[in-house]
Amino acid sequence: MAEEEATDSRERIMDATYRALIENGYADLTMSDIAEKSETSTSLLHYHFDTKEDLLVAFLEHVLDRLQDDFAEAAGRDPTTRLCELLRLYVLDPSEVEREAFHVALVELRSQAPYNERYRDRFRRADEVLIDELADILRAGLEDGVFVGEFDPERVAMLLIASTDGARTRGIALGDPIYTRDVLDVLFEEVLEPIFAAAAIERWQELMGE
Amino acid sequence: MAEEEATDSRERIMDATYRALIENGYADLTMSDIAEKSETSTSLLHYHFDTKEDLLVAFLEHVLDRLQDDFAEAAGRDPTTRLCELLRLYVLDPSEVEREAFHVALVELRSQAPYNERYRDRFRRADEVLIDELADILRAGLEDGVFVGEFDPERVAMLLIASTDGARTRGIALGDPIYTRDVLDVLFEEVLEPIFAAAAIERWQELMGE
């Protein structure tokens, strides 16, 4: 029972951190703000997390756990769908105000990684998970014959993540959320279409047209 | 004479801002630090710039001016060299500690653009200048016959900037400065080699091997 309560209160704190990041960004985030949003006393919050840094490290791990759960769930599906859905994580629709605000805060938090080893370590792990997942999708597609041609899955995975993540980061800085969608279309034309079999091209266009 | 002195002191302040950003990053930058580094009194610094924000806006314009000067100087050269040199602006060599620190601070400053319209406006202009320059290079290469095949210069320019800038930003966050160099190699294999004529391929490999 005590364990269950601890899990509940941790979950509430993670959720409150998410909402506080959306509202205030990273630099203006305060522990008392998160305590209030999670309906937790500041002393109980400090019982779980000594500092704002500790809390954000736990939050980054929480986000990564959720991402890994999503990847595990998608593992059985066709490679084109998995690839499209992964890259669309970086596409921000102008109507998704809350999601955009969260990405703004994540980019801000990541800009602190060079100054903070613990943040850097978590972003590194996230990068490894993303590259591994992408390379795994590309390998699965090669085995299934939906992706064709000679390419190195790890290397193409690096390019895919650099360009979609880069487009998101630029789009956020420039206040132009559809930027990523445009770059993803060019990425399809220049990089993916040449290595996609006909079925993959059709599936991609179907998913992107949705 | 008075005008010359004002230009001198402005130049000194811009240089001091650069050095202060390298040492302290953006969040910890102070006006008194810049006054000290530029051997200017704090009151004279405030005569030029009311706030830290004003100073950084002027600094971003200063950086963009220098970039445009570089582009103007390169205009007559062969398209492959121009393209390679532009994209290499994003490549950080592990030995270039100072340059890396400057990029870290720039990424940090850019992460504030969503919260600050004046920064955002300058980053937007920089983006336009970069995309225009890249598209101009690609068009020049098509005219000269060193780039071949059917592609839209504006769209390919977007992909090139998203992927190299994205690689730089990730490399900085992860503390892995050679990341951009790797991504640039994949970008060559997957995107550039297919649209390069033999002479461009040779020139690129020569420049990248340097």
Side-chain angles (χ1 to χ4, degrees), chain B residues 53-69:
Chain B
E53 184 186 306
D54 288 340
L55 173 58
L56 284 165
V57 165
F59 180 74
L60 287 174
E61 287 174 356
H62 173 77
V63 171
L64 184 55
D65 284 346
R66 300 263 291 254
L67 191 67
Q68 286 180 296
D69 290 346

Side-chain angles (χ1 to χ4, degrees), chain A residues 25 104 108 110-113 115 120 123-124 127 155 158-159 162 165-166 170 173-174 182 186-187 189 191, chain B residues 25 104 108 110-113 115 120 123-124 127 155 158-159 162 165-166 170 173-174 182 186-187 189 191:
Chain A
V104 167
E108 193 189 358
R110 192 174 63 175
S111 83
Q112 295 305 307
Y115 307 110
R120 188 160 66 243
F123 281 108
R124 256 193 211 147
D127 189 67
R155 287 174 74 77
M158 275 181 73
L159 178 60
D165 184 9
R170 284 191 92 71
L174 310 178
D182 285 343
V186 189
L187 197 64
E189 291 157 22
V191 179
Chain B
V104 166
E108 193 189 359
R110 192 173 64 177
S111 83
Q112 295 306 308
Y115 307 110
R120 188 160 69 244
F123 280 109
R124 258 193 208 147
D127 189 68
R155 287 173 75 77
M158 277 180 72
L159 178 60
D165 183 11
R170 285 191 92 73
L174 310 178
D182 286 343
V186 189
L187 196 63
E189 292 158 21
V191 179

